[in-house]
Amino acid sequence: MDDHLLVRQPDGAVWYDGTLPTTEVWREAAREAGQIYHFTAATGDLDSIGDQIASGDALAVVSTLT
């Protein structure tokens, strides 16, 4: 399987079209699920991302894959 993924925004527009620095296992799981979640926040601290999303201080977006 190649490492190419096409990721679409919720409105269907292309968000990313290319390769991702991921493993084949990750890409296959993402393709099987048909979606990935993007999280953006003011900090890179993974332990606090959930709290930031819940409080409205971060953004979570779901994109579809093909």
Short mmCIF file of all heavy atoms in Angstrom, two decimals:
data_model
loop_
_atom_site.label_atom_id
_atom_site.label_comp_id
_atom_site.label_asym_id
_atom_site.label_seq_id
_atom_site.Cartn_x
_atom_site.Cartn_y
_atom_site.Cartn_z
N MET A 1 0.84 -1.18 0.00
CA MET A 1 0.00 0.00 0.00
C MET A 1 0.88 1.24 0.00
O MET A 1 1.86 1.30 0.71
CB MET A 1 -0.89 -0.03 1.24
CG MET A 1 -1.81 1.17 1.33
SD MET A 1 -3.01 1.00 2.63
CE MET A 1 -4.03 -0.26 1.94
N ASP A 2 0.49 2.24 -0.80
CA ASP A 2 1.30 3.46 -0.85
C ASP A 2 1.01 4.36 0.34
O ASP A 2 0.12 4.11 1.14
CB ASP A 2 1.11 4.19 -2.17
CG ASP A 2 -0.30 4.72 -2.35
OD1 ASP A 2 -0.92 5.14 -1.37
OD2 ASP A 2 -0.76 4.75 -3.50
N ASP A 3 1.77 5.42 0.47
CA ASP A 3 1.64 6.32 1.61
C ASP A 3 0.85 7.58 1.28
O ASP A 3 0.89 8.55 2.01
CB ASP A 3 3.00 6.67 2.18
CG ASP A 3 3.90 7.36 1.17
OD1 ASP A 3 3.49 7.49 0.01
OD2 ASP A 3 5.01 7.76 1.55
N HIS A 4 0.08 7.57 0.20
CA HIS A 4 -0.69 8.73 -0.21
C HIS A 4 -2.05 8.74 0.49
O HIS A 4 -2.72 7.72 0.58
CB HIS A 4 -0.91 8.73 -1.72
CG HIS A 4 -1.67 9.91 -2.20
ND1 HIS A 4 -3.01 9.87 -2.41
CD2 HIS A 4 -1.28 11.17 -2.47
CE1 HIS A 4 -3.42 11.05 -2.81
NE2 HIS A 4 -2.38 11.87 -2.85
N LEU A 5 -2.45 9.92 0.98
CA LEU A 5 -3.77 10.11 1.56
C LEU A 5 -4.38 11.41 1.04
O LEU A 5 -3.69 12.41 0.90
CB LEU A 5 -3.71 10.19 3.09
CG LEU A 5 -3.48 8.90 3.84
CD1 LEU A 5 -3.36 9.18 5.33
CD2 LEU A 5 -4.59 7.90 3.58
N LEU A 6 -5.66 11.36 0.78
CA LEU A 6 -6.43 12.55 0.45
C LEU A 6 -7.34 12.82 1.63
O LEU A 6 -8.18 11.98 1.97
CB LEU A 6 -7.24 12.33 -0.82
CG LEU A 6 -8.20 13.44 -1.23
CD1 LEU A 6 -7.46 14.74 -1.47
CD2 LEU A 6 -9.01 13.02 -2.44
N VAL A 7 -7.17 13.97 2.27
CA VAL A 7 -7.95 14.33 3.46
C VAL A 7 -8.84 15.50 3.09
O VAL A 7 -8.38 16.50 2.56
CB VAL A 7 -7.02 14.72 4.64
CG1 VAL A 7 -7.84 15.07 5.87
CG2 VAL A 7 -6.05 13.59 4.94
N ARG A 8 -10.13 15.36 3.39
CA ARG A 8 -11.09 16.41 3.07
C ARG A 8 -11.58 17.11 4.33
O ARG A 8 -11.76 16.47 5.36
CB ARG A 8 -12.28 15.85 2.31
CG ARG A 8 -11.87 15.30 0.95
CD ARG A 8 -13.08 15.04 0.09
NE ARG A 8 -12.69 14.56 -1.22
CZ ARG A 8 -12.38 15.35 -2.24
NH1 ARG A 8 -12.41 16.64 -2.12
NH2 ARG A 8 -12.02 14.83 -3.40
N GLN A 9 -11.83 18.40 4.20
CA GLN A 9 -12.42 19.18 5.28
C GLN A 9 -13.90 18.79 5.41
O GLN A 9 -14.46 18.17 4.51
CB GLN A 9 -12.32 20.67 4.96
CG GLN A 9 -10.89 21.15 4.84
CD GLN A 9 -10.83 22.60 4.47
OE1 GLN A 9 -10.87 23.44 5.34
NE2 GLN A 9 -10.77 22.88 3.17
N PRO A 10 -14.54 19.18 6.52
CA PRO A 10 -15.96 18.84 6.67
C PRO A 10 -16.84 19.33 5.53
O PRO A 10 -17.86 18.71 5.22
CB PRO A 10 -16.34 19.53 7.99
CG PRO A 10 -15.06 19.54 8.76
CD PRO A 10 -13.99 19.79 7.72
N ASP A 11 -16.46 20.41 4.84
CA ASP A 11 -17.25 20.91 3.71
C ASP A 11 -16.92 20.21 2.39
O ASP A 11 -17.46 20.55 1.35
CB ASP A 11 -17.10 22.42 3.56
CG ASP A 11 -15.69 22.83 3.16
OD1 ASP A 11 -14.80 21.97 3.02
OD2 ASP A 11 -15.47 24.05 3.01
N GLY A 12 -16.02 19.24 2.43
CA GLY A 12 -15.65 18.48 1.24
C GLY A 12 -14.44 19.01 0.50
O GLY A 12 -13.91 18.34 -0.39
N ALA A 13 -13.98 20.20 0.84
CA ALA A 13 -12.80 20.76 0.19
C ALA A 13 -11.56 19.95 0.59
O ALA A 13 -11.50 19.40 1.68
CB ALA A 13 -12.61 22.22 0.59
N VAL A 14 -10.58 19.90 -0.29
CA VAL A 14 -9.35 19.17 0.01
C VAL A 14 -8.54 19.93 1.05
O VAL A 14 -8.28 21.12 0.91
CB VAL A 14 -8.50 18.97 -1.27
CG1 VAL A 14 -7.15 18.37 -0.93
CG2 VAL A 14 -9.25 18.08 -2.24
N TRP A 15 -8.19 19.26 2.14
CA TRP A 15 -7.36 19.85 3.18
C TRP A 15 -5.90 19.44 2.97
O TRP A 15 -4.99 20.21 3.15
CB TRP A 15 -7.83 19.40 4.56
CG TRP A 15 -6.99 19.90 5.68
CD1 TRP A 15 -7.01 21.16 6.21
CD2 TRP A 15 -6.00 19.18 6.40
NE1 TRP A 15 -6.09 21.26 7.22
CE2 TRP A 15 -5.45 20.05 7.36
CE3 TRP A 15 -5.52 17.87 6.34
CZ2 TRP A 15 -4.45 19.67 8.23
CZ3 TRP A 15 -4.53 17.48 7.21
CH2 TRP A 15 -4.01 18.38 8.14
N TYR A 16 -5.71 18.18 2.56
CA TYR A 16 -4.36 17.68 2.34
C TYR A 16 -4.41 16.61 1.27
O TYR A 16 -5.28 15.73 1.30
CB TYR A 16 -3.79 17.10 3.64
CG TYR A 16 -2.37 16.61 3.49
CD1 TYR A 16 -1.32 17.50 3.59
CD2 TYR A 16 -2.09 15.28 3.23
CE1 TYR A 16 -0.01 17.06 3.42
CE2 TYR A 16 -0.79 14.85 3.07
CZ TYR A 16 0.24 15.73 3.17
OH TYR A 16 1.53 15.31 3.00
N ASP A 17 -3.48 16.65 0.35
CA ASP A 17 -3.38 15.65 -0.71
C ASP A 17 -1.91 15.36 -0.92
O ASP A 17 -1.19 16.14 -1.51
CB ASP A 17 -4.01 16.20 -1.99
CG ASP A 17 -4.06 15.17 -3.11
OD1 ASP A 17 -3.67 14.02 -2.89
OD2 ASP A 17 -4.51 15.54 -4.21
N GLY A 18 -1.45 14.26 -0.36
CA GLY A 18 -0.04 13.92 -0.47
C GLY A 18 0.33 12.77 0.44
O GLY A 18 -0.50 11.92 0.74
N THR A 19 1.56 12.77 0.86
CA THR A 19 2.02 11.71 1.74
C THR A 19 2.10 12.24 3.18
O THR A 19 2.23 13.44 3.41
CB THR A 19 3.41 11.21 1.32
OG1 THR A 19 4.32 12.30 1.34
CG2 THR A 19 3.37 10.60 -0.07
N LEU A 20 1.98 11.34 4.12
CA LEU A 20 2.08 11.69 5.53
C LEU A 20 3.18 10.85 6.17
O LEU A 20 3.36 9.69 5.80
CB LEU A 20 0.76 11.41 6.26
CG LEU A 20 -0.43 12.28 5.90
CD1 LEU A 20 -1.67 11.79 6.64
CD2 LEU A 20 -0.16 13.72 6.23
N PRO A 21 3.90 11.42 7.12
CA PRO A 21 4.96 10.66 7.79
C PRO A 21 4.35 9.72 8.83
O PRO A 21 4.43 9.94 10.04
CB PRO A 21 5.82 11.75 8.44
CG PRO A 21 4.85 12.85 8.70
CD PRO A 21 3.87 12.81 7.57
N THR A 22 3.68 8.70 8.34
CA THR A 22 3.01 7.72 9.20
C THR A 22 3.40 6.31 8.79
O THR A 22 3.97 6.10 7.72
CB THR A 22 1.48 7.87 9.09
OG1 THR A 22 1.12 7.69 7.71
CG2 THR A 22 0.99 9.23 9.56
N THR A 23 3.04 5.36 9.62
CA THR A 23 3.32 3.96 9.29
C THR A 23 2.21 3.41 8.42
O THR A 23 1.09 3.95 8.37
CB THR A 23 3.41 3.11 10.57
OG1 THR A 23 2.12 3.08 11.18
CG2 THR A 23 4.46 3.65 11.53
N GLU A 24 2.50 2.34 7.74
CA GLU A 24 1.50 1.67 6.92
C GLU A 24 0.31 1.23 7.78
O GLU A 24 -0.85 1.32 7.36
CB GLU A 24 2.11 0.48 6.19
CG GLU A 24 1.15 -0.18 5.23
CD GLU A 24 1.79 -1.28 4.41
OE1 GLU A 24 3.00 -1.23 4.15
OE2 GLU A 24 1.04 -2.20 4.03
N VAL A 25 0.59 0.76 8.99
CA VAL A 25 -0.48 0.32 9.90
C VAL A 25 -1.41 1.49 10.23
O VAL A 25 -2.64 1.36 10.21
CB VAL A 25 0.11 -0.30 11.19
CG1 VAL A 25 -0.96 -0.56 12.22
CG2 VAL A 25 0.87 -1.58 10.86
N TRP A 26 -0.84 2.68 10.51
CA TRP A 26 -1.65 3.86 10.81
C TRP A 26 -2.51 4.23 9.62
O TRP A 26 -3.70 4.51 9.76
CB TRP A 26 -0.74 5.04 11.19
CG TRP A 26 -1.52 6.25 11.63
CD1 TRP A 26 -1.83 6.60 12.90
CD2 TRP A 26 -2.08 7.26 10.78
NE1 TRP A 26 -2.55 7.78 12.90
CE2 TRP A 26 -2.72 8.21 11.61
CE3 TRP A 26 -2.10 7.47 9.40
CZ2 TRP A 26 -3.38 9.32 11.10
CZ3 TRP A 26 -2.76 8.59 8.90
CH2 TRP A 26 -3.39 9.49 9.75
N ARG A 27 -1.91 4.27 8.42
CA ARG A 27 -2.66 4.65 7.23
C ARG A 27 -3.79 3.67 6.95
O ARG A 27 -4.89 4.07 6.60
CB ARG A 27 -1.72 4.77 6.02
CG ARG A 27 -0.77 5.95 6.13
CD ARG A 27 0.04 6.16 4.87
NE ARG A 27 0.84 5.02 4.48
CZ ARG A 27 2.07 4.78 4.92
NH1 ARG A 27 2.66 5.63 5.76
NH2 ARG A 27 2.75 3.73 4.51
N GLU A 28 -3.54 2.40 7.10
CA GLU A 28 -4.58 1.40 6.87
C GLU A 28 -5.72 1.56 7.87
O GLU A 28 -6.90 1.50 7.51
CB GLU A 28 -4.00 -0.02 6.95
CG GLU A 28 -5.02 -1.11 6.70
CD GLU A 28 -5.69 -1.03 5.34
OE1 GLU A 28 -5.05 -0.57 4.37
OE2 GLU A 28 -6.86 -1.43 5.25
N ALA A 29 -5.39 1.80 9.14
CA ALA A 29 -6.43 2.00 10.16
C ALA A 29 -7.23 3.26 9.86
O ALA A 29 -8.46 3.28 10.00
CB ALA A 29 -5.79 2.08 11.54
N ALA A 30 -6.55 4.33 9.44
CA ALA A 30 -7.25 5.57 9.11
C ALA A 30 -8.16 5.38 7.91
O ALA A 30 -9.31 5.83 7.91
CB ALA A 30 -6.23 6.68 8.84
N ARG A 31 -7.68 4.70 6.89
CA ARG A 31 -8.52 4.44 5.71
C ARG A 31 -9.72 3.58 6.09
O ARG A 31 -10.83 3.82 5.62
CB ARG A 31 -7.71 3.74 4.62
CG ARG A 31 -6.79 4.65 3.86
CD ARG A 31 -6.15 3.91 2.68
NE ARG A 31 -5.27 4.77 1.95
CZ ARG A 31 -3.95 4.79 2.08
NH1 ARG A 31 -3.35 3.96 2.92
NH2 ARG A 31 -3.21 5.61 1.38
N GLU A 32 -9.50 2.59 6.92
CA GLU A 32 -10.59 1.71 7.35
C GLU A 32 -11.65 2.50 8.13
O GLU A 32 -12.84 2.31 7.94
CB GLU A 32 -10.04 0.57 8.21
CG GLU A 32 -11.02 -0.55 8.43
CD GLU A 32 -10.36 -1.73 9.11
OE1 GLU A 32 -9.39 -2.26 8.54
OE2 GLU A 32 -10.81 -2.09 10.21
N ALA A 33 -11.19 3.41 9.00
CA ALA A 33 -12.12 4.24 9.78
C ALA A 33 -12.79 5.28 8.89
O ALA A 33 -13.91 5.71 9.16
CB ALA A 33 -11.37 4.93 10.92
N GLY A 34 -12.09 5.71 7.82
CA GLY A 34 -12.65 6.69 6.91
C GLY A 34 -12.57 8.12 7.39
O GLY A 34 -13.10 9.02 6.75
N GLN A 35 -11.89 8.33 8.52
CA GLN A 35 -11.77 9.69 9.03
C GLN A 35 -10.59 9.81 9.99
O GLN A 35 -10.12 8.82 10.52
CB GLN A 35 -13.05 10.12 9.75
CG GLN A 35 -13.41 9.24 10.92
CD GLN A 35 -14.78 9.56 11.48
OE1 GLN A 35 -15.51 10.35 10.92
NE2 GLN A 35 -15.12 8.95 12.58
N ILE A 36 -10.13 11.05 10.13
CA ILE A 36 -9.12 11.36 11.14
C ILE A 36 -9.57 12.61 11.88
O ILE A 36 -10.36 13.41 11.37
CB ILE A 36 -7.71 11.55 10.55
CG1 ILE A 36 -7.67 12.68 9.53
CG2 ILE A 36 -7.17 10.27 9.96
CD1 ILE A 36 -6.27 13.04 9.07
N TYR A 37 -9.06 12.76 13.08
CA TYR A 37 -9.39 13.91 13.92
C TYR A 37 -8.16 14.81 14.00
O TYR A 37 -7.06 14.33 14.22
CB TYR A 37 -9.77 13.45 15.32
CG TYR A 37 -11.04 12.65 15.33
CD1 TYR A 37 -11.04 11.30 15.01
CD2 TYR A 37 -12.25 13.23 15.65
CE1 TYR A 37 -12.20 10.55 15.01
CE2 TYR A 37 -13.42 12.50 15.67
CZ TYR A 37 -13.40 11.15 15.34
OH TYR A 37 -14.55 10.42 15.33
N HIS A 38 -8.36 16.11 13.84
CA HIS A 38 -7.30 17.10 13.98
C HIS A 38 -7.58 17.88 15.26
O HIS A 38 -8.71 18.28 15.50
CB HIS A 38 -7.33 18.12 12.82
CG HIS A 38 -7.42 17.52 11.48
ND1 HIS A 38 -6.32 17.27 10.71
CD2 HIS A 38 -8.48 17.10 10.76
CE1 HIS A 38 -6.70 16.74 9.56
NE2 HIS A 38 -7.99 16.63 9.58
N PHE A 39 -6.55 18.10 16.03
CA PHE A 39 -6.69 18.88 17.25
C PHE A 39 -5.68 20.02 17.22
O PHE A 39 -4.51 19.80 16.94
CB PHE A 39 -6.42 18.01 18.48
CG PHE A 39 -7.37 16.85 18.59
CD1 PHE A 39 -6.99 15.59 18.16
CD2 PHE A 39 -8.64 17.02 19.11
CE1 PHE A 39 -7.86 14.52 18.26
CE2 PHE A 39 -9.52 15.95 19.21
CZ PHE A 39 -9.12 14.69 18.78
N THR A 40 -6.15 21.21 17.50
CA THR A 40 -5.25 22.35 17.58
C THR A 40 -5.47 23.03 18.92
O THR A 40 -6.60 23.16 19.38
CB THR A 40 -5.49 23.37 16.46
OG1 THR A 40 -6.83 23.87 16.56
CG2 THR A 40 -5.28 22.74 15.10
N ALA A 41 -4.39 23.44 19.53
CA ALA A 41 -4.47 24.09 20.84
C ALA A 41 -3.25 24.98 21.02
O ALA A 41 -2.28 24.90 20.27
CB ALA A 41 -4.54 23.06 21.95
N ALA A 42 -3.30 25.79 22.05
CA ALA A 42 -2.21 26.73 22.32
C ALA A 42 -0.97 26.03 22.84
O ALA A 42 0.13 26.60 22.82
CB ALA A 42 -2.66 27.79 23.32
N THR A 43 -1.09 24.81 23.28
CA THR A 43 0.04 24.08 23.84
C THR A 43 0.19 22.72 23.16
O THR A 43 -0.79 22.17 22.67
CB THR A 43 -0.13 23.89 25.36
OG1 THR A 43 0.99 23.16 25.86
CG2 THR A 43 -1.38 23.12 25.69
N GLY A 44 1.37 22.21 23.16
CA GLY A 44 1.62 20.88 22.62
C GLY A 44 1.50 19.79 23.68
O GLY A 44 1.80 18.65 23.41
N ASP A 45 1.06 20.15 24.86
CA ASP A 45 0.95 19.20 25.97
C ASP A 45 -0.23 18.27 25.74
O ASP A 45 -1.39 18.66 25.90
CB ASP A 45 0.78 19.98 27.27
CG ASP A 45 0.64 19.09 28.48
OD1 ASP A 45 0.78 17.86 28.36
OD2 ASP A 45 0.38 19.64 29.56
N LEU A 46 0.03 17.05 25.34
CA LEU A 46 -1.04 16.11 25.02
C LEU A 46 -1.97 15.83 26.19
O LEU A 46 -3.14 15.53 26.01
CB LEU A 46 -0.44 14.79 24.50
CG LEU A 46 0.27 14.88 23.15
CD1 LEU A 46 0.87 13.54 22.79
CD2 LEU A 46 -0.67 15.36 22.08
N ASP A 47 -1.46 15.94 27.41
CA ASP A 47 -2.29 15.67 28.59
C ASP A 47 -3.38 16.72 28.78
O ASP A 47 -4.39 16.44 29.42
CB ASP A 47 -1.42 15.59 29.85
CG ASP A 47 -0.49 14.40 29.82
OD1 ASP A 47 -0.85 13.36 29.21
OD2 ASP A 47 0.60 14.49 30.40
N SER A 48 -3.20 17.92 28.24
CA SER A 48 -4.18 18.98 28.46
C SER A 48 -5.07 19.26 27.25
O SER A 48 -5.98 20.07 27.34
CB SER A 48 -3.48 20.26 28.88
OG SER A 48 -2.72 20.77 27.80
N ILE A 49 -4.86 18.59 26.14
CA ILE A 49 -5.65 18.86 24.93
C ILE A 49 -7.14 18.63 25.19
O ILE A 49 -7.97 19.45 24.80
CB ILE A 49 -5.17 17.99 23.75
CG1 ILE A 49 -3.79 18.41 23.31
CG2 ILE A 49 -6.16 18.01 22.60
CD1 ILE A 49 -3.72 19.52 22.31
N GLY A 50 -7.50 17.52 25.83
CA GLY A 50 -8.91 17.23 26.11
C GLY A 50 -9.57 18.33 26.91
O GLY A 50 -10.70 18.75 26.61
N ASP A 51 -8.89 18.83 27.94
CA ASP A 51 -9.42 19.92 28.76
C ASP A 51 -9.57 21.19 27.93
O ASP A 51 -10.55 21.93 28.08
CB ASP A 51 -8.51 20.19 29.95
CG ASP A 51 -8.51 19.07 30.97
OD1 ASP A 51 -9.50 18.30 31.01
OD2 ASP A 51 -7.51 18.95 31.71
N GLN A 52 -8.61 21.45 27.04
CA GLN A 52 -8.67 22.65 26.20
C GLN A 52 -9.83 22.57 25.21
O GLN A 52 -10.52 23.57 24.96
CB GLN A 52 -7.36 22.85 25.47
CG GLN A 52 -6.21 23.24 26.39
CD GLN A 52 -4.94 23.41 25.63
OE1 GLN A 52 -4.87 24.18 24.68
NE2 GLN A 52 -3.90 22.69 26.02
N ILE A 53 -10.07 21.39 24.66
CA ILE A 53 -11.21 21.22 23.75
C ILE A 53 -12.52 21.42 24.51
O ILE A 53 -13.41 22.13 24.06
CB ILE A 53 -11.16 19.84 23.07
CG1 ILE A 53 -9.97 19.78 22.10
CG2 ILE A 53 -12.47 19.55 22.34
CD1 ILE A 53 -9.66 18.40 21.58
N ALA A 54 -12.64 20.79 25.67
CA ALA A 54 -13.86 20.90 26.47
C ALA A 54 -14.15 22.34 26.89
O ALA A 54 -15.31 22.76 26.96
CB ALA A 54 -13.76 20.00 27.70
N SER A 55 -13.11 23.13 27.16
CA SER A 55 -13.30 24.51 27.61
C SER A 55 -13.44 25.50 26.45
O SER A 55 -13.67 26.68 26.67
CB SER A 55 -12.13 24.93 28.50
OG SER A 55 -10.95 25.06 27.73
N GLY A 56 -13.29 25.02 25.22
CA GLY A 56 -13.40 25.91 24.06
C GLY A 56 -12.11 26.62 23.70
O GLY A 56 -12.10 27.50 22.86
N ASP A 57 -11.00 26.21 24.35
CA ASP A 57 -9.71 26.84 24.08
C ASP A 57 -8.92 26.12 22.98
O ASP A 57 -7.79 26.48 22.70
CB ASP A 57 -8.86 26.88 25.35
CG ASP A 57 -9.44 27.81 26.38
OD1 ASP A 57 -10.07 28.82 25.99
OD2 ASP A 57 -9.28 27.55 27.59
N ALA A 58 -9.52 25.11 22.38
CA ALA A 58 -8.87 24.36 21.32
C ALA A 58 -9.94 23.97 20.29
O ALA A 58 -11.14 24.09 20.55
CB ALA A 58 -8.18 23.12 21.86
N LEU A 59 -9.50 23.49 19.17
CA LEU A 59 -10.39 23.12 18.10
C LEU A 59 -10.19 21.65 17.75
O LEU A 59 -9.06 21.19 17.65
CB LEU A 59 -10.11 23.98 16.87
CG LEU A 59 -10.90 23.69 15.60
CD1 LEU A 59 -12.37 24.01 15.82
CD2 LEU A 59 -10.34 24.48 14.44
N ALA A 60 -11.30 20.94 17.56
CA ALA A 60 -11.26 19.56 17.10
C ALA A 60 -12.05 19.50 15.81
O ALA A 60 -13.18 19.99 15.75
CB ALA A 60 -11.84 18.63 18.13
N VAL A 61 -11.45 18.94 14.74
CA VAL A 61 -12.11 18.83 13.44
C VAL A 61 -11.98 17.39 12.96
O VAL A 61 -10.94 16.76 13.14
CB VAL A 61 -11.43 19.78 12.41
CG1 VAL A 61 -12.04 19.60 11.03
CG2 VAL A 61 -11.52 21.21 12.87
N VAL A 62 -13.03 16.89 12.35
CA VAL A 62 -13.02 15.55 11.77
C VAL A 62 -12.95 15.69 10.26
O VAL A 62 -13.73 16.44 9.67
CB VAL A 62 -14.29 14.75 12.16
CG1 VAL A 62 -14.27 13.37 11.51
CG2 VAL A 62 -14.44 14.65 13.66
N SER A 63 -11.99 15.01 9.63
CA SER A 63 -11.87 15.01 8.18
C SER A 63 -12.08 13.61 7.63
O SER A 63 -11.67 12.63 8.26
CB SER A 63 -10.49 15.52 7.76
OG SER A 63 -10.32 16.85 8.12
N THR A 64 -12.68 13.52 6.46
CA THR A 64 -12.86 12.23 5.81
C THR A 64 -11.65 11.90 4.95
O THR A 64 -10.96 12.79 4.47
CB THR A 64 -14.13 12.21 4.94
OG1 THR A 64 -14.05 13.25 3.97
CG2 THR A 64 -15.37 12.41 5.78
N LEU A 65 -11.41 10.64 4.75
CA LEU A 65 -10.27 10.16 3.97
C LEU A 65 -10.75 9.39 2.75
O LEU A 65 -11.79 8.75 2.79
CB LEU A 65 -9.41 9.21 4.79
CG LEU A 65 -8.78 9.74 6.06
CD1 LEU A 65 -8.06 8.62 6.78
CD2 LEU A 65 -7.83 10.86 5.75
N THR A 66 -9.95 9.45 1.71
CA THR A 66 -10.17 8.59 0.55
C THR A 66 -8.84 8.07 0.11
O THR A 66 -7.81 8.57 0.50
CB THR A 66 -10.84 9.35 -0.62
OG1 THR A 66 -10.06 10.47 -0.96
CG2 THR A 66 -12.25 9.77 -0.26
#
